[in-house]
Amino acid sequence: MTPRITRQLIDAYTGRDQPASGGQGLSVLSPRERDVFNAIALGLSNGEISQALHLSPATVKTHINRVFAKLDVRDRVQAVILLTSSVSPSVVKRTSARTRRG
């Protein structure tokens, strides 16, 4: 499948034709929420995020719940789909590298 068709299928499945939060995208997140969001995009578990960002597991869960609420997504898959549709690949690579260095 081409990327365009894949995007259309994802949009149809999620019921979205535009970015969440009225088009504001990721700008609604605080800097720490963005850090957690980037860690989610890397596929890190809550425990791994906790260790990488030096946060308690409860704090990680709180940040994840706030990210999901602000971006109007229900799970990690939808959050990553939103990320890939909202930013250029170079931005994802830069922020992912920063999170991995932790």
Side-chain angles (χ1 to χ4, degrees):
M1 266 193 237
T2 66
R4 183 180 58 84
I5 291 173
T6 303
R7 175 84 256 144
Q8 289 173 343
L9 284 171
I10 292 169
D11 288 343
Y13 177 75
T14 61
R16 292 175 201 258
D17 292 326
Q18 45 188 294
S21 305
Q24 294 174 10
L26 305 179
S27 65
V28 298
L29 302 179
S30 71
R32 183 51 104 185
E33 289 167 344
R34 262 188 242 115
D35 291 341
V36 171
F37 184 62
N38 287 328
I40 290 169
L42 289 172
L44 299 181
S45 69
N46 288 5
E48 292 168 331
I49 295 169
S50 176
Q51 289 177 349
L53 299 178
H54 307 287
L55 300 171
S56 75
T59 301
V60 170
K61 288 180 185 179
T62 298
H63 283 307
I64 290 172
N65 287 330
R66 287 182 181 162
V67 166
F68 289 177
K70 286 182 177 182
L71 298 179
D72 191 28
V73 297
R74 69 174 177 259
D75 57 30
R76 290 173 186 248
V77 173
Q78 281 191 336
V80 173
I81 289 169
L82 177 65
L83 175 67
T84 59
S85 67
S86 299
V87 297
S88 71
S90 62
V91 171
V92 174
K93 287 179 186 174
R94 275 197 311 270
T95 55
S96 297
R98 228 181 307 144
T99 304
R100 282 185 188 170
R101 283 186 228 140

Coordinates of all heavy atoms in Angstrom, one line a residue:
M1 N 0.8 -1.2 0.0 CA 0.0 0.0 0.0 C 0.9 1.2 0.0 O 1.9 1.3 0.6 CB -0.8 0.0 1.3 CG -2.2 -0.6 1.1 SD -3.2 -0.1 2.5 CE -3.6 -1.7 3.1
T2 N 0.4 2.3 -0.6 CA 1.1 3.5 -0.7 C 0.9 4.3 0.7 O -0.2 4.0 1.3 CB 0.7 4.4 -1.8 OG1 -0.7 4.8 -1.6 CG2 0.8 3.7 -3.2
P3 N 1.8 5.2 1.0 CA 1.5 5.9 2.3 C 0.2 6.7 2.2 O -0.4 6.8 3.3 CB 2.7 6.9 2.3 CG 3.8 6.2 1.5 CD 3.1 5.4 0.5
R4 N -0.2 7.2 1.1 CA -1.4 8.0 1.0 C -2.6 7.1 1.3 O -3.5 7.5 2.1 CB -1.5 8.6 -0.4 CG -2.8 9.5 -0.6 CD -2.9 10.1 -2.0 NE -2.9 9.1 -3.0 CZ -4.0 8.4 -3.4 NH1 -5.1 8.7 -2.9 NH2 -3.9 7.5 -4.4
I5 N -2.6 5.9 0.8 CA -3.8 5.0 1.0 C -3.8 4.6 2.5 O -4.8 4.5 3.1 CB -3.7 3.8 0.1 CG1 -4.0 4.3 -1.3 CG2 -4.7 2.7 0.5 CD1 -3.8 3.2 -2.4
T6 N -2.6 4.3 3.0 CA -2.5 3.9 4.4 C -3.0 5.0 5.3 O -3.8 4.8 6.3 CB -1.0 3.6 4.8 OG1 -0.5 2.6 4.0 CG2 -0.9 3.2 6.3
R7 N -2.6 6.3 5.0 CA -3.1 7.4 5.8 C -4.7 7.5 5.7 O -5.3 7.8 6.7 CB -2.5 8.7 5.2 CG -3.0 10.0 5.9 CD -2.3 10.3 7.2 NE -3.1 10.0 8.3 CZ -2.8 9.5 9.4 NH1 -1.5 9.3 9.7 NH2 -3.6 9.2 10.4
Q8 N -5.2 7.3 4.5 CA -6.7 7.4 4.4 C -7.4 6.3 5.2 O -8.4 6.5 5.8 CB -7.0 7.3 2.9 CG -6.7 8.5 2.1 CD -6.9 8.3 0.6 OE1 -7.0 7.2 0.1 NE2 -6.9 9.4 -0.1
L9 N -6.8 5.1 5.2 CA -7.3 4.0 6.0 C -7.3 4.3 7.5 O -8.3 4.1 8.2 CB -6.6 2.7 5.7 CG -6.9 2.0 4.4 CD1 -5.9 0.8 4.2 CD2 -8.3 1.5 4.4
I10 N -6.2 4.8 7.9 CA -6.1 5.2 9.3 C -7.1 6.3 9.7 O -7.7 6.2 10.7 CB -4.6 5.6 9.7 CG1 -3.7 4.4 9.6 CG2 -4.5 6.3 11.0 CD1 -2.2 4.7 9.6
D11 N -7.2 7.3 8.8 CA -8.1 8.4 9.1 C -9.6 7.8 9.1 O -10.4 8.2 10.0 CB -8.0 9.5 8.0 CG -6.8 10.3 8.1 OD1 -6.1 10.2 9.2 OD2 -6.4 11.0 7.2
A12 N -9.9 6.9 8.2 CA -11.2 6.4 8.2 C -11.5 5.5 9.5 O -12.6 5.6 10.1 CB -11.4 5.5 7.0
Y13 N -10.5 4.8 9.9 CA -10.6 3.9 11.1 C -10.8 4.8 12.3 O -11.6 4.5 13.2 CB -9.4 3.0 11.2 CG -9.5 2.2 12.4 CD1 -10.4 1.1 12.5 CD2 -8.7 2.4 13.5 CE1 -10.4 0.3 13.7 CE2 -8.7 1.7 14.7 CZ -9.6 0.6 14.7 OH -9.6 -0.1 15.9
T14 N -10.0 5.8 12.5 CA -10.0 6.6 13.7 C -11.1 7.7 13.6 O -11.3 8.4 14.6 CB -8.6 7.3 14.0 OG1 -8.3 8.1 12.9 CG2 -7.6 6.2 14.2
G15 N -11.6 7.9 12.5 CA -12.7 9.0 12.4 C -12.1 10.4 12.3 O -12.7 11.3 12.7
R16 N -10.8 10.5 11.9 CA -10.2 11.8 11.9 C -9.7 12.1 10.5 O -9.1 11.3 9.9 CB -8.9 11.8 12.8 CG -9.2 11.6 14.2 CD -7.9 11.5 14.9 NE -8.1 10.9 16.2 CZ -8.2 11.6 17.3 NH1 -7.9 12.8 17.4 NH2 -8.4 11.0 18.4
D17 N -10.0 13.4 10.2 CA -9.5 13.9 8.9 C -8.5 15.0 9.1 O -7.9 15.5 8.2 CB -10.6 14.4 8.0 CG -11.5 13.2 7.6 OD1 -11.0 12.1 7.3 OD2 -12.7 13.4 7.4
Q18 N -8.3 15.4 10.4 CA -7.4 16.5 10.7 C -6.7 16.2 12.0 O -7.2 15.4 12.8 CB -8.0 17.8 10.6 CG -9.4 17.8 11.3 CD -10.1 19.1 11.1 OE1 -9.6 20.2 11.5 NE2 -11.2 19.1 10.4
P19 N -5.7 16.9 12.4 CA -5.0 16.7 13.7 C -6.0 17.0 14.8 O -6.9 17.7 14.7 CB -3.9 17.7 13.7 CG -3.6 18.0 12.2 CD -5.0 17.9 11.5
A20 N -5.7 16.3 15.9 CA -6.5 16.5 17.1 C -6.4 17.9 17.7 O -5.5 18.7 17.3 CB -6.1 15.5 18.2
S21 N -7.2 18.2 18.7 CA -7.2 19.5 19.4 C -7.4 20.7 18.5 O -6.7 21.7 18.6 CB -5.8 19.6 20.1 OG -5.6 18.5 21.0
G22 N -8.3 20.5 17.5 CA -8.7 21.7 16.7 C -7.5 22.1 15.8 O -7.4 23.3 15.5
G23 N -6.6 21.2 15.4 CA -5.5 21.6 14.6 C -4.3 22.1 15.3 O -3.3 22.5 14.7
Q24 N -4.4 22.2 16.6 CA -3.3 22.7 17.4 C -2.1 21.8 17.5 O -1.0 22.1 17.8 CB -3.7 23.1 18.8 CG -4.7 24.3 18.8 CD -5.2 24.5 20.3 OE1 -4.7 23.9 21.2 NE2 -6.2 25.3 20.4
G25 N -2.4 20.5 17.2 CA -1.4 19.5 17.2 C -0.7 19.3 18.6 O -1.4 19.4 19.6
L26 N 0.6 19.2 18.5 CA 1.3 18.9 19.7 C 1.6 20.1 20.6 O 2.1 20.0 21.7 CB 2.6 18.2 19.4 CG 2.5 16.9 18.5 CD1 3.8 16.3 18.2 CD2 1.6 15.9 19.2
S27 N 1.3 21.3 20.1 CA 1.6 22.5 20.8 C 0.8 22.6 22.1 O 1.1 23.4 23.0 CB 1.3 23.8 20.0 OG -0.1 23.8 19.7
V28 N -0.3 21.8 22.3 CA -1.0 21.8 23.5 C -0.3 21.1 24.7 O -0.7 21.3 25.8 CB -2.4 21.2 23.3 CG1 -3.2 22.0 22.3 CG2 -2.4 19.7 23.0
L29 N 0.7 20.4 24.4 CA 1.5 19.7 25.4 C 2.5 20.5 26.1 O 3.2 21.3 25.5 CB 2.1 18.4 24.8 CG 1.2 17.4 24.1 CD1 2.1 16.3 23.6 CD2 0.2 16.9 25.1
S30 N 2.7 20.3 27.4 CA 3.8 20.9 28.2 C 5.1 20.3 27.7 O 5.1 19.2 27.1 CB 3.6 20.7 29.7 OG 3.8 19.4 30.0
P31 N 6.2 20.9 28.0 CA 7.5 20.3 27.6 C 7.7 18.9 28.2 O 8.1 18.0 27.5 CB 8.5 21.3 28.2 CG 7.8 22.6 28.2 CD 6.4 22.3 28.6
R32 N 7.3 18.7 29.5 CA 7.4 17.4 30.1 C 6.5 16.4 29.4 O 6.8 15.2 29.2 CB 7.2 17.4 31.6 CG 7.4 16.1 32.3 CD 8.7 15.5 31.9 NE 9.6 15.6 33.0 CZ 10.9 15.3 33.0 NH1 11.4 14.8 31.9 NH2 11.6 15.5 34.0
E33 N 5.3 16.8 29.1 CA 4.3 15.9 28.4 C 4.9 15.5 27.0 O 4.7 14.4 26.6 CB 3.0 16.6 28.3 CG 2.2 16.7 29.6 CD 1.0 17.6 29.5 OE1 0.9 18.4 28.6 OE2 0.2 17.5 30.5
R34 N 5.5 16.5 26.4 CA 6.2 16.2 25.1 C 7.3 15.1 25.2 O 7.4 14.3 24.4 CB 6.7 17.5 24.4 CG 5.8 18.0 23.4 CD 6.4 19.2 22.6 NE 5.5 20.3 22.9 CZ 5.9 21.4 23.5 NH1 7.1 21.6 23.9 NH2 5.1 22.4 23.7
D35 N 8.1 15.3 26.3 CA 9.1 14.3 26.6 C 8.5 12.9 26.7 O 9.0 11.9 26.1 CB 9.9 14.6 27.9 CG 10.7 15.8 27.7 OD1 11.1 16.2 26.6 OD2 11.1 16.4 28.8
V36 N 7.4 12.8 27.5 CA 6.7 11.5 27.7 C 6.1 11.0 26.4 O 6.2 9.8 26.0 CB 5.6 11.6 28.8 CG1 4.8 10.4 28.8 CG2 6.3 11.9 30.1
F37 N 5.5 11.9 25.6 CA 5.0 11.6 24.3 C 6.0 11.0 23.4 O 5.8 10.0 22.7 CB 4.3 12.8 23.7 CG 3.5 12.5 22.4 CD1 2.5 11.7 22.4 CD2 3.9 13.2 21.3 CE1 1.8 11.4 21.2 CE2 3.2 13.0 20.1 CZ 2.2 12.1 20.1
N38 N 7.2 11.6 23.3 CA 8.3 11.2 22.5 C 8.7 9.8 22.9 O 9.0 8.9 22.1 CB 9.4 12.1 22.5 CG 9.1 13.4 21.7 OD1 8.4 13.3 20.7 ND2 9.7 14.5 22.1
A39 N 8.7 9.5 24.2 CA 9.1 8.2 24.7 C 8.1 7.2 24.3 O 8.4 6.0 24.0 CB 9.3 8.3 26.3
I40 N 6.8 7.5 24.4 CA 5.8 6.6 23.9 C 6.0 6.3 22.4 O 5.9 5.2 22.0 CB 4.4 7.3 24.1 CG1 4.0 7.4 25.6 CG2 3.3 6.5 23.3 CD1 2.8 8.2 25.8
A41 N 6.3 7.3 21.6 CA 6.6 7.1 20.2 C 7.7 6.2 20.0 O 7.8 5.5 18.9 CB 6.8 8.5 19.5
L42 N 8.7 6.2 20.9 CA 9.8 5.3 20.7 C 9.5 3.8 21.1 O 10.3 2.9 21.0 CB 11.0 5.7 21.6 CG 11.7 7.0 21.1 CD1 12.7 7.5 22.2 CD2 12.4 6.7 19.8
G43 N 8.3 3.7 21.7 CA 7.8 2.3 22.1 C 8.3 1.9 23.5 O 8.2 0.8 23.9
L44 N 8.7 2.9 24.3 CA 9.1 2.6 25.7 C 7.9 2.3 26.6 O 6.8 2.9 26.4 CB 9.8 3.8 26.3 CG 11.1 4.3 25.6 CD1 11.7 5.4 26.3 CD2 12.1 3.1 25.5
S45 N 8.1 1.4 27.5 CA 7.0 1.0 28.5 C 7.0 2.1 29.5 O 7.9 3.0 29.6 CB 7.4 -0.3 29.1 OG 8.5 -0.2 30.0
N46 N 6.0 2.1 30.4 CA 5.9 3.1 31.5 C 7.1 3.0 32.4 O 7.6 4.0 32.8 CB 4.6 2.9 32.3 CG 3.4 3.3 31.5 OD1 3.4 3.6 30.4 ND2 2.2 3.2 32.2
G47 N 7.6 1.8 32.7 CA 8.7 1.7 33.5 C 10.0 2.2 32.9 O 10.8 2.9 33.6
E48 N 10.1 2.0 31.6 CA 11.3 2.6 30.9 C 11.2 4.1 30.8 O 12.3 4.7 30.9 CB 11.4 2.0 29.5 CG 11.7 0.5 29.5 CD 11.5 -0.2 28.1 OE1 10.6 0.3 27.3 OE2 12.2 -1.2 27.8
I49 N 10.0 4.6 30.6 CA 9.9 6.1 30.6 C 10.2 6.6 32.0 O 10.9 7.6 32.1 CB 8.4 6.5 30.2 CG1 8.1 6.1 28.7 CG2 8.2 8.0 30.4 CD1 6.7 6.2 28.4
S50 N 9.8 6.0 33.0 CA 10.0 6.4 34.4 C 11.5 6.5 34.6 O 12.0 7.5 35.2 CB 9.4 5.4 35.3 OG 9.7 5.7 36.7
Q51 N 12.3 5.5 34.2 CA 13.7 5.4 34.4 C 14.4 6.5 33.5 O 15.3 7.2 34.0 CB 14.3 4.1 34.1 CG 13.9 3.0 35.1 CD 14.5 1.6 34.7 OE1 14.9 1.4 33.6 NE2 14.4 0.7 35.6
A52 N 14.0 6.6 32.3 CA 14.7 7.5 31.3 C 14.5 9.0 31.7 O 15.4 9.8 31.6 CB 14.2 7.3 29.9
L53 N 13.3 9.3 32.2 CA 13.0 10.7 32.6 C 13.1 11.0 34.1 O 12.8 12.1 34.5 CB 11.6 11.1 32.0 CG 11.4 10.9 30.5 CD1 10.0 11.3 30.1 CD2 12.4 11.8 29.8
H54 N 13.5 10.0 34.8 CA 13.6 10.1 36.3 C 12.4 10.6 36.9 O 12.3 11.6 37.7 CB 14.8 11.1 36.6 CG 16.1 10.7 35.9 ND1 16.8 9.6 36.3 CD2 16.7 11.3 34.9 CE1 17.9 9.5 35.6 NE2 17.9 10.5 34.7
L55 N 11.3 9.9 36.6 CA 9.9 10.2 37.2 C 9.4 8.9 37.9 O 9.8 7.8 37.5 CB 9.0 10.5 36.1 CG 9.3 11.8 35.2 CD1 8.3 11.9 34.0 CD2 9.2 13.0 36.1
S56 N 8.5 9.1 38.8 CA 7.9 7.9 39.4 C 6.9 7.3 38.4 O 6.4 8.0 37.5 CB 7.2 8.3 40.7 OG 6.0 9.0 40.4
P57 N 6.7 6.0 38.6 CA 5.7 5.4 37.7 C 4.3 6.0 37.7 O 3.7 6.2 36.7 CB 5.7 3.9 38.2 CG 7.0 3.7 38.8 CD 7.4 5.0 39.4
A58 N 3.9 6.5 38.9 CA 2.6 7.2 39.0 C 2.6 8.5 38.2 O 1.6 8.8 37.6 CB 2.3 7.4 40.4
T59 N 3.7 9.2 38.2 CA 3.8 10.5 37.5 C 3.8 10.2 36.0 O 3.2 10.9 35.3 CB 5.1 11.2 37.9 OG1 5.1 11.5 39.3 CG2 5.2 12.5 37.2
V60 N 4.5 9.1 35.6 CA 4.4 8.8 34.1 C 3.0 8.5 33.7 O 2.5 9.0 32.7 CB 5.3 7.6 33.9 CG1 5.1 7.0 32.4 CG2 6.8 7.9 34.1
K61 N 2.3 7.7 34.5 CA 0.9 7.4 34.2 C 0.0 8.7 34.1 O -0.8 8.9 33.2 CB 0.3 6.5 35.2 CG 0.8 5.1 35.1 CD 0.2 4.2 36.1 CE 0.8 2.8 36.1 NZ 0.2 1.9 37.1
T62 N 0.3 9.6 35.0 CA -0.5 10.9 35.0 C -0.2 11.7 33.7 O -1.1 12.2 33.1 CB -0.1 11.7 36.2 OG1 -0.5 11.0 37.4 CG2 -0.8 13.1 36.2
H63 N 1.1 11.8 33.4 CA 1.5 12.5 32.1 C 0.9 11.8 30.9 O 0.4 12.5 30.0 CB 3.0 12.5 32.0 CG 3.7 13.6 32.8 ND1 3.3 14.9 32.9 CD2 4.7 13.5 33.7 CE1 4.0 15.6 33.7 NE2 4.9 14.7 34.3
I64 N 0.9 10.5 30.9 CA 0.3 9.8 29.7 C -1.2 10.1 29.6 O -1.7 10.3 28.5 CB 0.6 8.3 29.8 CG1 2.1 8.0 29.6 CG2 -0.3 7.5 28.8 CD1 2.5 6.6 29.8
N65 N -1.9 10.0 30.7 CA -3.3 10.3 30.7 C -3.6 11.7 30.3 O -4.5 12.0 29.5 CB -3.9 10.0 32.1 CG -4.0 8.6 32.4 OD1 -4.2 7.7 31.5 ND2 -4.0 8.2 33.7
R66 N -2.8 12.7 30.7 CA -3.0 14.1 30.3 C -2.7 14.2 28.8 O -3.4 15.0 28.1 CB -2.1 15.0 31.1 CG -2.6 15.2 32.5 CD -1.7 16.1 33.3 NE -2.2 16.2 34.6 CZ -1.5 16.7 35.6 NH1 -0.3 17.1 35.4 NH2 -2.0 16.8 36.8
V67 N -1.6 13.5 28.3 CA -1.3 13.6 26.9 C -2.5 13.1 26.1 O -2.9 13.7 25.1 CB 0.0 12.8 26.5 CG1 0.1 12.5 25.1 CG2 1.2 13.5 27.1
F68 N -3.0 11.9 26.5 CA -4.1 11.3 25.7 C -5.3 12.2 25.7 O -6.0 12.4 24.7 CB -4.5 10.0 26.3 CG -3.5 8.9 26.1 CD1 -3.7 7.6 26.6 CD2 -2.4 9.0 25.3 CE1 -2.8 6.6 26.4 CE2 -1.5 8.0 25.1 CZ -1.7 6.8 25.6
A69 N -5.6 12.8 26.9 CA -6.8 13.7 27.0 C -6.6 15.0 26.1 O -7.5 15.4 25.4 CB -7.0 14.1 28.5
K70 N -5.4 15.6 26.2 CA -5.2 16.8 25.4 C -5.2 16.6 23.9 O -5.6 17.4 23.1 CB -3.8 17.4 25.8 CG -3.8 18.1 27.2 CD -2.5 18.8 27.5 CE -2.5 19.5 28.8 NZ -1.2 20.1 29.1
L71 N -4.7 15.4 23.5 CA -4.6 15.1 22.1 C -5.9 14.4 21.6 O -6.0 14.1 20.4 CB -3.4 14.3 21.8 CG -2.1 14.9 22.1 CD1 -0.9 14.0 21.7 CD2 -1.9 16.2 21.3
D72 N -6.8 14.1 22.5 CA -8.1 13.4 22.2 C -7.8 12.1 21.5 O -8.3 11.8 20.4 CB -8.9 14.3 21.3 CG -10.3 13.7 21.2 OD1 -10.8 13.0 22.1 OD2 -11.0 14.0 20.1
V73 N -6.9 11.3 22.1 CA -6.6 9.9 21.6 C -6.9 8.9 22.8 O -6.9 9.3 23.9 CB -5.2 9.7 21.1 CG1 -4.9 10.7 19.9 CG2 -4.2 10.0 22.2
R74 N -7.2 7.7 22.4 CA -7.5 6.7 23.5 C -6.4 5.8 23.9 O -6.5 5.1 24.9 CB -8.8 5.9 23.1 CG -8.6 5.0 21.9 CD -9.8 4.1 21.7 NE -9.6 3.3 20.5 CZ -10.0 3.5 19.3 NH1 -10.7 4.6 19.1 NH2 -9.7 2.7 18.3
D75 N -5.4 5.7 23.0 CA -4.3 4.8 23.3 C -3.0 5.2 22.7 O -2.9 6.2 21.9 CB -4.7 3.3 23.0 CG -5.1 3.2 21.5 OD1 -4.5 3.9 20.7 OD2 -5.9 2.3 21.2
R76 N -1.9 4.4 22.9 CA -0.6 4.7 22.4 C -0.6 4.7 20.8 O 0.1 5.4 20.2 CB 0.4 3.7 22.9 CG 0.7 4.0 24.4 CD 1.6 2.9 25.0 NE 1.7 3.0 26.4 CZ 2.8 3.4 27.0 NH1 3.9 3.5 26.3 NH2 2.9 3.5 28.3
V77 N -1.3 3.7 20.3 CA -1.4 3.6 18.8 C -1.9 4.9 18.2 O -1.3 5.4 17.3 CB -2.2 2.4 18.4 CG1 -2.3 2.3 16.9 CG2 -1.5 1.1 18.9
Q78 N -3.0 5.4 18.7 CA -3.6 6.6 18.1 C -2.6 7.8 18.4 O -2.5 8.6 17.5 CB -4.9 6.9 18.8 CG -6.1 6.1 18.2 CD -7.4 6.6 18.6 OE1 -7.5 7.3 19.7 NE2 -8.4 6.4 17.8
A79 N -2.0 7.8 19.5 CA -1.0 8.9 19.8 C 0.1 8.9 18.8 O 0.5 9.9 18.2 CB -0.5 8.8 21.2
V80 N 0.7 7.7 18.5 CA 1.8 7.6 17.5 C 1.3 8.0 16.1 O 2.0 8.6 15.3 CB 2.5 6.3 17.6 CG1 3.5 6.1 16.5 CG2 3.1 6.1 18.9
I81 N 0.1 7.5 15.8 CA -0.5 7.9 14.4 C -0.6 9.4 14.3 O -0.2 10.0 13.3 CB -1.8 7.2 14.2 CG1 -1.7 5.7 14.0 CG2 -2.6 7.8 13.0 CD1 -3.0 4.9 14.1
L82 N -1.0 10.0 15.4 CA -1.1 11.5 15.4 C 0.2 12.1 15.2 O 0.4 13.1 14.4 CB -1.8 12.0 16.7 CG -1.9 13.5 16.9 CD1 -2.8 14.1 15.8 CD2 -2.3 13.9 18.2
L83 N 1.2 11.6 15.9 CA 2.6 12.1 15.8 C 3.1 12.1 14.4 O 3.6 13.0 13.8 CB 3.5 11.4 16.7 CG 5.0 11.8 16.6 CD1 5.2 13.2 17.1 CD2 5.9 10.8 17.4
T84 N 2.9 10.9 13.8 CA 3.5 10.7 12.4 C 2.7 11.6 11.4 O 3.3 11.9 10.4 CB 3.4 9.3 12.0 OG1 2.1 8.8 12.0 CG2 4.3 8.4 12.9
S85 N 1.5 11.9 11.7 CA 0.7 12.8 10.7 C 0.9 14.3 11.0 O 0.5 15.1 10.2 CB -0.7 12.4 10.8 OG -1.3 12.8 12.0
S86 N 1.5 14.6 12.2 CA 1.6 16.0 12.6 C 2.9 16.7 12.4 O 3.0 17.9 12.3 CB 1.3 16.1 14.1 OG 0.0 15.7 14.4
V87 N 4.0 15.9 12.3 CA 5.3 16.5 12.3 C 6.1 15.8 11.2 O 5.8 14.7 10.8 CB 6.1 16.4 13.6 CG1 5.4 17.2 14.7 CG2 6.3 15.0 14.0
S88 N 7.2 16.5 10.7 CA 8.1 15.9 9.7 C 8.9 14.9 10.4 O 9.2 14.9 11.6 CB 8.9 17.0 9.1 OG 9.9 17.5 10.0
P89 N 9.4 13.9 9.6 CA 10.3 12.9 10.2 C 11.5 13.4 10.8 O 12.0 12.8 11.8 CB 10.6 12.0 8.9 CG 9.5 12.2 8.0 CD 9.1 13.7 8.2
S90 N 12.1 14.5 10.4 CA 13.3 15.0 11.0 C 13.1 15.5 12.4 O 13.9 15.4 13.2 CB 13.9 16.2 10.1 OG 13.0 17.2 10.1
V91 N 11.9 16.0 12.7 CA 11.6 16.5 14.0 C 11.5 15.3 15.0 O 12.0 15.3 16.1 CB 10.2 17.3 14.1 CG1 9.8 17.5 15.5 CG2 10.4 18.6 13.3
V92 N 10.8 14.2 14.5 CA 10.7 13.0 15.3 C 12.1 12.4 15.6 O 12.4 12.1 16.7 CB 9.9 11.9 14.6 CG1 9.8 10.6 15.4 CG2 8.4 12.4 14.4
K93 N 13.0 12.4 14.6 CA 14.3 11.8 14.8 C 15.1 12.7 15.9 O 15.7 12.1 16.8 CB 15.1 11.8 13.5 CG 14.6 10.7 12.6 CD 15.4 10.7 11.3 CE 14.8 9.7 10.3 NZ 15.4 9.8 9.0
R94 N 15.0 14.0 15.8 CA 15.7 14.9 16.7 C 15.2 14.7 18.1 O 16.0 14.5 19.1 CB 15.6 16.3 16.3 CG 16.5 16.8 15.3 CD 16.6 18.3 15.3 NE 15.3 19.0 15.2 CZ 14.7 19.3 14.1 NH1 15.2 19.0 12.9 NH2 13.5 19.9 14.1
T95 N 13.9 14.7 18.3 CA 13.4 14.6 19.7 C 13.5 13.2 20.2 O 13.7 13.0 21.4 CB 11.9 15.0 19.7 OG1 11.1 14.2 18.8 CG2 11.7 16.5 19.4
S96 N 13.5 12.2 19.4 CA 13.7 10.8 19.8 C 15.1 10.6 20.3 O 15.3 9.9 21.3 CB 13.3 9.8 18.7 OG 12.0 9.9 18.3
A97 N 16.0 11.1 19.6 CA 17.4 11.0 20.0 C 17.7 11.6 21.4 O 18.4 11.1 22.2 CB 18.3 11.6 18.9
R98 N 17.0 12.8 21.6 CA 17.2 13.5 22.9 C 16.6 12.6 24.0 O 17.2 12.5 25.1 CB 16.4 14.8 22.8 CG 17.2 15.9 23.3 CD 16.5 17.3 23.3 NE 15.9 17.5 22.0 CZ 14.8 18.1 21.7 NH1 14.1 18.5 22.7 NH2 14.4 18.3 20.5
T99 N 15.4 12.0 23.8 CA 14.8 11.2 24.8 C 15.6 9.9 25.1 O 15.8 9.5 26.2 CB 13.4 10.8 24.3 OG1 12.6 12.0 24.0 CG2 12.7 10.0 25.4
R100 N 16.2 9.3 24.1 CA 17.0 8.1 24.2 C 18.2 8.4 25.1 O 18.6 7.5 25.9 CB 17.5 7.6 22.9 CG 16.4 6.8 22.2 CD 16.9 6.2 20.9 NE 15.8 5.6 20.2 CZ 15.9 5.2 19.0 NH1 17.0 5.2 18.3 NH2 14.8 4.7 18.3
R101 N 18.8 9.5 24.9 CA 20.0 9.9 25.7 C 19.7 9.9 27.2 O 20.6 9.7 28.0 CB 20.7 11.2 25.2 CG 21.4 11.0 24.0 CD 22.1 12.3 23.6 NE 21.8 12.6 22.2 CZ 21.5 13.7 21.7 NH1 21.5 14.8 22.5 NH2 21.3 13.9 20.4
G102 N 18.4 10.4 27.5 CA 17.9 10.4 28.8 C 18.7 10.8 29.9 O 18.7 10.9 31.0

